[in-house]
Every structure is written in structure tokens, then in C-alpha cells.
Amino acid sequence: MKEVVIDILFAGLWIVPLVLNFSPSLVEKLISTFDKSIAKSTSYLLSLPISVYLIYEMSTKSNWAAQLSLFVAFVFFFTIYATALSCLFHRAGKHNKHLNSDNV
């Protein structure tokens, strides 16, 4: 089970940036969600280490409750990862436009 979890983790870390690169509407949706009150609370940011710990801990168990918590942990982790990358893409795009306008 642990090998499958590692495969899912690495595949997600590789696929999420590709999906975000080719889907600007998803990037805008994630940024608008992040800019709302979810990002203002510390519980949103605290869920990242909690989700990583749950992925680590629940990958050794094989009962249905562990698999459900593993799924929830993956959803939290990849949601936060995608949101952070969306904000990074958005801000990098603004920065590049600003740099290109200075050169003209």
C-alpha cells in the first residue's frame, strides 16, 4: 500500500502543475477561493502538515477508515498545492508583464 501512496503522491505533484498550466479558468477559480476568508484563517495553512502526516500514517493501514482518511488527506494536500501554484503562476505572470513593459 505504501508504494501506491508514493506513486499517487509523485504523479499528483507532476500532474497538478500541468493541469494548471493548461487551464487558466481553474487557476482563476483557485485564486478567488484562496482570496476569500479561507486564506485568512490559519486553519487552512495548518491543514497542510496535518494532511502530510495523515498520508504518512494511514498509508501503512488497509482498513476502510484508513483509506477514507487517506483520500481526504490527499484531497487537502493537492488542493493546497494547486492553490499555492495558482497564486505563484498568477503573480509570476504579473511580474513578467511588468518586466516586459519596462523594456519597451
Side-chain angles (χ1 to χ4, degrees):
M1 179 73 175
K2 203 164 190 83
E3 295 84 16
V4 173
V5 169
I6 291 173
D7 290 343
I8 292 171
L9 187 62
F10 281 116
L13 291 174
W14 182 70
I15 291 173
V16 167
L18 289 176
V19 169
L20 292 176
N21 191 31
F22 295 111
S23 177
S25 61
L26 181 62
V27 169
E28 292 299 322
K29 185 175 181 178
L30 287 170
I31 289 172
S32 67
T33 302
F34 182 75
D35 287 339
K36 291 181 183 174
S37 62
I38 294 173
K40 307 293 186 240
S41 69
T42 57
S43 62
Y44 184 75
L45 296 175
L46 287 176
S47 62
L48 184 64
I50 292 170
S51 65
V52 170
Y53 176 74
L54 281 174
I55 290 170
Y56 171 75
E57 188 65 31
M58 294 301 150
S59 64
T60 60
K61 298 175 176 59
S62 62
N63 59 8
W64 66 270
Q67 291 180 356
L68 180 65
S69 63
L70 187 63
F71 173 76
V72 170
F74 270 127
V75 168
F76 279 138
F77 178 78
F78 286 122
T79 302
I80 295 170
Y81 178 61
T83 304
L85 282 178
S86 296
C87 290
L88 181 66
F89 289 164
H90 184 69
R91 290 191 177 113
K94 282 184 178 179
H95 183 70
N96 286 340
K97 286 179 187 175
H98 179 67
L99 287 176
N100 290 337
S101 67
D102 288 344
N103 292 334
V104 175

